[in-house]
Amino acid sequence: MRMILTMVALGGAAYALSRKLGGRSSSHGNAAFAGNQPRQSNDDVRDSGPAAMRDSPGRKWTGVDEASDQSFPASDPPGNY
C-alpha cells in the first residue's frame, strides 16, 4: 500500500511541476502557433505563412509551401503547382 501511495504522490508532483513550468506550447496545446495568433480553443486555425508559425520552417519558404499552407484545413491540395 505504501508503494502505491508513493507512486501516486510522485505522479502528482510530476504533473504539478509540468503544469507550473509550462514548456513552449500554448495553454491550449496549439504548438504550431506564433505568439500573435489566436488561441481561444483547440480547433483554432492559424494564419498562413511562416510569420504565423512558432518555429522557423528551417528552409526557404516557397510558393508551393505558401499554397499548401493556405489550403489548410481544406481536404483538397492546391492546384497551382
Side-chain angles (χ1 to χ4, degrees):
M1 184 67 173
R2 183 177 285 174
M3 179 76 122
I4 293 172
L5 291 176
T6 302
M7 295 300 281
V8 168
L10 287 173
Y15 176 76
L17 184 62
S18 70
R19 296 292 289 174
K20 180 176 174 112
L21 295 178
R24 288 175 47 165
S25 65
S26 70
S27 62
H28 294 291
N30 296 327
F33 284 44
N36 61 352
Q37 295 297 303
R39 290 184 187 98
Q40 280 96 35
S41 67
N42 284 332
D43 58 353
D44 287 332
V45 177
R46 68 166 174 78
D47 294 337
S48 65
M53 295 178 182
R54 186 191 71 187
D55 300 327
S56 172
R59 62 178 173 79
K60 186 177 183 218
W61 191 256
T62 66
V64 174
D65 294 326
E66 183 71 25
S68 178
D69 201 36
Q70 287 175 353
S71 73
F72 182 81
S75 60
D76 298 331
N80 60 348
Y81 63 91

